Amino acid sequence: MSDSAADGAYGTEGARKETGLPAGAGDGTRAVRAGLPEPVKHEPTLPGPVFAAHFHLPGDPTGPYTYGRDENPTWTLLERAVGELEAPGLESVETLVFASGMAAISSVLFSQLRAGDVVVLPSDGYQALPLVRDQLQSYGIEVRTAPTGQDAQLEVLDGARLLWIESPSNPGLDVCDIRRLVEAAHARGALVAVDNTLATPLGQRPLELGADFSVASGTKQLTGHGDILLGYVAGRDADSMAAVRRWRKIVGAIPGPMEAWLAHRSIATLQLRVDRQNATALALAEALRGRPEVTGLRYPGLPDDPSHKIASQQMRRYGCVVSFTLPSRARADRFLEALRVVDVATSFGGVRSTAERRGRWGGDAVPEGFIRMSVGAEDPADLVADVLRALDETAH
């Protein structure tokens, strides 16, 4: 590829470049067009993955691509795409992609915190957070925790350097008032990071709600096919993001170019997948409401869900995950074995529905019969019928 073609295909402005889409472009249009380079005659609309550990670099080491641990043209396009979804029209926002969601989470925590700092984490968040807590404490960082629901993190916010929000929480699906927590944290001089994995940028935009960082696992609904591991961080402050970038360079937590390319390709169908999955998740939640063996049913899109009011004020879509509890571990295991359309697997957000008894991992404070179900893209009637049939067949 010539220099001019390369400039057209990948650009030299990194992940800050915005497309020429109109400001009011819909989510489907934005997802399909996100991160695409300027068209170059005879070149593909989405260039293939660039496999390179190093690049031609005569003279001074300047320019966007020098070494494969620092930058890659395939990352550039993906980072641009994610940034256009997380914060459309905000050119000051920078996005960085990582090898996994945990790599992205770790990059923010360990680049922004120092010994003696205080960080507030959710006590009901992703099950790897207790491991993160132990590591932070070993570095002399004070860790405080509080539940997501009812904005309980406000109670332990004084003196904090960083507030970590997970809303909706995983797996309990509680929601907090992100705007309220952001305002309180900023008034106290604290930064705010929001784990946006479950919502996706089409469900909510934390940066527009005032957060400093939006962090997510791209492994899940963002890419939606259960075949890659990926994470990203989007942030509005150049200095803070420079520290995140430096952390990525130090630890080498970078995605492969093939994973980055697959992720970008998959984002094109994000709106189609999200709308189908969200609608089916609501239909499933409504079908489960009348089941006597089901307790603790949670889905933020249900009008009577405890989180619905605040979720409806800050979310545009409510996610693909439904959680509920069956009377016992044995009943839950029988139910999972009886499913035919749903795979028994961990993670969530894929086009194939999955479910698991979450307590089997031992890291979540949930009942033994707690089920986390990720709704896929199957026909809604088929999925609902399969779940209700499995409940019926395992009633005794």
Side-chain angles (χ1 to χ4, degrees):
M1 184 182 293
S2 68
D3 287 345
S4 60
D7 287 345
Y10 301 110
T12 57
E13 299 175 37
R16 295 174 182 265
K17 181 181 171 69
E18 176 63 278
T19 67
L21 290 174
D27 286 339
T29 302
R30 192 169 292 280
V32 167
R33 307 296 303 179
L36 294 183
E38 293 296 323
V40 176
K41 189 175 183 178
H42 305 309
E43 295 294 334
T45 54
L46 176 62
V50 174
F51 299 99
H54 58 264
F55 302 84
H56 288 295
L57 195 64
D60 294 333
T62 59
Y65 306 114
T66 58
Y67 184 62
R69 193 179 67 251
D70 299 324
E71 289 289 352
N72 179 289
T74 310
W75 303 352
T76 297
L77 298 183
L78 174 59
E79 289 170 342
R80 189 181 302 167
V82 174
E84 290 167 8
L85 295 176
E86 281 280 354
L90 299 180
E91 296 187 12
S92 61
V93 170
E94 182 177 4
T95 304
L96 297 172
V97 291
F98 289 81
S100 68
M102 280 307 302
I105 289 171
S106 299
S107 74
V108 173
L109 291 169
F110 292 105
S111 70
Q112 304 301 314
L113 297 170
R114 303 288 184 272
D117 285 345
V118 175
V119 61
V120 176
L121 302 179
S123 60
D124 55 344
Y126 180 53
Q127 69 166 186
L129 287 182
L131 299 175
V132 174
R133 178 191 63 209
D134 292 344
Q135 194 65 46
L136 290 167
Q137 289 173 332
S138 74
Y139 291 158
I141 297 166
E142 180 184 344
V143 180
R144 302 173 188 164
T145 62
T148 299
Q150 300 181 352
D151 301 342
Q153 289 176 300
L154 287 173
E155 301 298 323
V156 293
L157 195 52
D158 286 348
R161 163 67 178 163
L162 175 66
L163 168 63
W164 191 273
I165 294 172
E166 188 177 301
S167 180
S169 61
N170 172 29
L173 303 183
D174 268 324
V175 172
C176 62
D177 187 335
I178 294 175
R179 290 187 185 90
R180 182 187 182 201
L181 267 68
V182 165
E183 290 174 1
H186 286 171
R188 292 164 170 81
L191 296 169
V192 180
V194 176
D195 187 329
N196 204 34
T197 302
L198 200 146
T200 81
L202 299 195
Q204 70 186 8
R205 294 172 181 157
L207 299 180
E208 292 184 357
L209 298 173
D212 301 286
F213 302 99
S214 181
V215 187
S217 168
T219 307
K220 300 177 174 65
Q221 196 173 22
L222 183 79
T223 57
H225 291 80
D227 52 9
I228 59 174
L229 294 175
L230 196 84
Y232 69 83
V233 178
R236 59 172 71 251
D237 179 72
D239 290 339
S240 296
M241 289 303 294
V244 174
R245 180 185 291 274
R246 181 173 180 269
W247 181 262
R248 184 179 70 173
K249 178 183 177 73
I250 291 170
V251 302
I254 58 173
M258 191 66 190
E259 287 81 1
W261 183 84
L262 285 170
H264 196 170
R265 181 206 62 174
S266 298
I267 285 175
T269 62
L270 179 60
Q271 184 260 341
L272 297 172
R273 291 184 282 106
V274 164
D275 281 353
R276 174 62 168 260
Q277 290 170 268
N278 282 216
T280 307
L282 179 59
L284 176 62
E286 290 174 337
L288 290 171
R289 290 164 89 178
R291 299 292 305 203
E293 70 271 57
V294 170
T295 60
L297 175 65
R298 296 300 303 270
Y299 182 67
L302 284 173
D304 57 352
D305 186 272
S307 293
H308 180 73
K309 181 178 179 180
I310 185 60
S312 65
Q313 294 172 7
Q314 65 191 23
M315 299 183 72
R316 296 178 298 133
R317 295 172 176 88
Y318 299 108
C320 64
V321 177
V322 177
S323 67
F324 56 95
T325 300
L326 294 178
S328 67
R329 172 176 178 170
R331 178 68 192 280
D333 287 338
R334 293 199 308 271
F335 164 72
L336 293 169
E337 290 173 4
L339 292 168
R340 297 171 185 165
V341 178
V342 181
D343 295 331
V344 180
T346 194
S347 197
F348 58 85
V351 291
R352 288 173 288 278
S353 293
T354 61
E356 68 172 335
R357 191 180 63 79
R358 192 62 185 165
R360 66 180 177 168
W361 297 100
D364 296 305
V366 295
E368 285 292 328
F370 181 93
I371 300 292
R372 184 183 71 180
M373 180 166 289
S374 172
V375 174
E378 298 89 356
D379 285 300
D382 293 338
L383 179 63
V384 172
D386 188 49
V387 170
L388 297 182
R389 178 199 52 78
L391 287 173
D392 288 338
E393 290 183 1
T394 59
H396 303 289

